[in-house]
Amino acid sequence: MHVDTCRGKSLFQGSWSVQEILWQRAYEEICYFKTFVDFFILPDVGEPLTNLLWQNYGKQLDILSQIAEEWLRTQAQEQGWAKAAHVQGRKTVHGLIGIHTINNMAAIVEVNCETDFVAKNIQFQELVKTVTTTCLHHTWMKEPYSEYLSKLNLSPTELGTFHSSCGKSLLESIALTIGHLGENIVIKRAVCMKSQNDVVIAGYTHPIIDPIYQADVAMIGKYGTLVAVRQTSEPALYKKQISLEQLGRDLCQHIIGMNPLNIGQQGESPSSDPEAETRMLQQEFLLDPQLLVADLLFQAGAEVLDFVRFECGEAALEKD
């Protein structure tokens, strides 16, 4: 059975999709078999037996199609690995940040590529979502190792061994995407968080590439942050006592915009130069500059336990 070419065009020239090749082969097989049945079988055995033959042939054709599709996927995988080896080492400073939060679990990842053009490609964006969701599943498998919050930094080597819901390792998924897009793609870093039930982990990306939020799909953007907050007392008046979840999202926007380096301590004095302040609690709140973040949390009766901020490309630039 020859399934590697179709009408003289090579499978990997990009002129034919897997589905087009399979349909073309199936169509040719059916035309051949129909001619054979019409001229040699139907006149001798009659219509009932002919219908039975058609049913059996259809089953065999399904089996052959499955074999062909698996062969094509294997070839594509091999092409992807070959391309990945060829582009390995190329600088990757573009890409996307992925964030996925469900209940008291969260994951944030950075996946890099060579150009912003590929970062805007749907296939690359779906890869980032797959990597992020796979990391979240890994988080679900882990037990919290502290009283309130567990935080796990994952290396690129470890991330590559994780398997997504389709059964492929993340390294295999990346190789396939490299084969299709032709650029070097790497998982740069990832952090997973898991908390007890009284701790809320909020996440946010900027800009929001997918305007319609779906709980079971990761968010992607050029910036991303996770923040873990906990209620410590009854809230005072802050925007009519918003929920802890909304407070977390507001703080995420602040962290992306103001780029604090650490949480800081309640009661500390802010810097004389607000623009130079790097402690989050002593910074002016991005959404309400009349308040310090420390004042905001006091009014909300909450505290920040930890946060993570990723900016796409910053890790590569720091390394250089």
Side-chain angles (χ1 to χ4, degrees):
M1 178 177 61
H2 300 285
V3 296
D4 55 337
T5 59
C6 191
R7 292 183 181 175
K9 296 180 180 180
S10 171
L11 168 62
F12 297 108
Q13 286 177 345
S15 299
W16 293 90
S17 68
V18 171
Q19 290 82 359
E20 288 172 332
I21 294 170
L22 293 176
W23 275 112
Q24 177 67 19
R25 289 304 180 192
Y27 176 76
E28 293 172 356
E29 291 285 343
I30 289 173
C31 289
Y32 173 80
F33 186 72
K34 187 177 187 303
T35 301
F36 179 76
V37 169
D38 289 343
F39 281 92
F40 297 102
I41 298 181
L42 184 58
D44 294 331
V45 302
E47 185 174 347
L49 185 56
T50 302
N51 291 336
L52 181 61
L53 288 171
W54 270 110
Q55 293 174 8
N56 290 332
Y57 181 74
K59 294 178 182 178
Q60 293 299 318
L61 187 62
D62 288 340
I63 295 174
L64 290 175
S65 296
Q66 292 174 8
I67 295 173
E69 188 171 0
E70 182 60 32
W71 182 87
L72 290 169
R73 286 176 177 170
T74 301
Q75 293 298 307
Q77 186 76 63
E78 292 176 357
Q79 291 285 327
W81 283 117
K83 188 67 176 179
H86 178 70
V87 302
Q88 186 177 15
R90 290 184 187 174
K91 184 175 293 187
T92 55
V93 295
H94 296 276
L96 289 170
I97 306 300
I99 283 180
H100 204 168
T101 60
I102 295 181
N103 298 328
N104 61 332
M105 300 179 299
I108 179 171
V109 305
E110 179 180 359
V111 183
N112 293 140
C113 56
E114 296 179 46
T115 66
D116 192 52
F117 177 78
V118 164
K120 295 176 181 178
N121 183 278
I122 295 297
Q123 188 172 1
F124 178 80
Q125 293 177 2
E126 290 301 317
L127 173 67
V128 177
K129 293 176 183 179
T130 297
V131 173
T132 308
T133 302
T134 302
C135 288
L136 185 72
H137 176 74
H138 178 79
T139 307
W140 177 75
M141 300 295 290
K142 295 288 185 179
E143 291 294 331
Y145 54 76
S146 69
E147 183 179 358
Y148 296 119
L149 181 71
S150 59
K151 179 179 175 182
L152 180 63
N153 292 278
L154 298 170
S155 68
T157 302
E158 186 177 8
L159 286 164
T161 64
F162 293 171
H163 284 73
S164 63
S165 58
C166 67
K168 293 186 180 69
S169 72
L170 293 182
L171 276 181
E172 291 174 318
S173 297
I174 289 173
L176 276 173
T177 308
I178 290 175
H180 289 139
L181 301 180
E183 283 195 6
N184 191 19
I185 297 173
V186 296
I187 306 175
K188 181 63 67 175
R189 51 182 172 163
V191 173
C192 299
M193 284 185 173
K194 189 173 184 179
S195 67
Q196 303 290 351
N197 292 332
D198 60 341
V199 176
V200 170
I201 304 176
Y204 185 79
T205 61
H206 178 82
I208 301 175
I209 293 178
D210 293 326
I212 300 177
Y213 173 74
Q214 302 178 60
D216 58 341
V217 177
M219 301 179 288
I220 53 177
K222 291 293 185 180
Y223 300 83
T225 188
L226 298 175
V227 62
V229 294
R230 183 172 71 99
Q231 200 78 51
T232 57
S233 62
E234 287 295 324
L237 294 177
Y238 167 65
K239 292 188 178 180
K240 298 182 180 180
Q241 300 184 0
I242 63 172
S243 67
L244 202 59
E245 289 78 8
Q246 183 60 52
L247 174 64
R249 287 190 289 270
D250 289 349
L251 288 170
C252 283
Q253 294 183 59
H254 172 89
I255 293 168
I256 287 178
M258 300 300 290
N259 192 19
L261 300 181
N262 54 67
I263 298 174
Q265 298 291 331
Q266 283 281 7
E268 292 181 345
S269 299
S271 172
S272 57
D273 182 4
E275 294 185 1
E277 183 61 72
T278 60
R279 298 164 298 169
M280 183 169 66
L281 294 184
Q282 281 65 49
Q283 289 179 328
E284 295 177 352
F285 183 44
L286 181 67
L287 304 184
D288 186 356
Q290 301 301 317
L291 284 176
L292 296 180
V293 174
D295 299 331
L296 164 70
L297 292 172
F298 175 77
Q299 293 180 13
E303 68 171 331
V304 174
L305 299 178
D306 204 351
F307 73 90
V308 180
R309 182 186 185 274
F310 280 4
E311 179 178 344
C312 188
E314 65 179 355
L317 293 174
E318 289 174 359
K319 184 177 180 181
D320 292 343

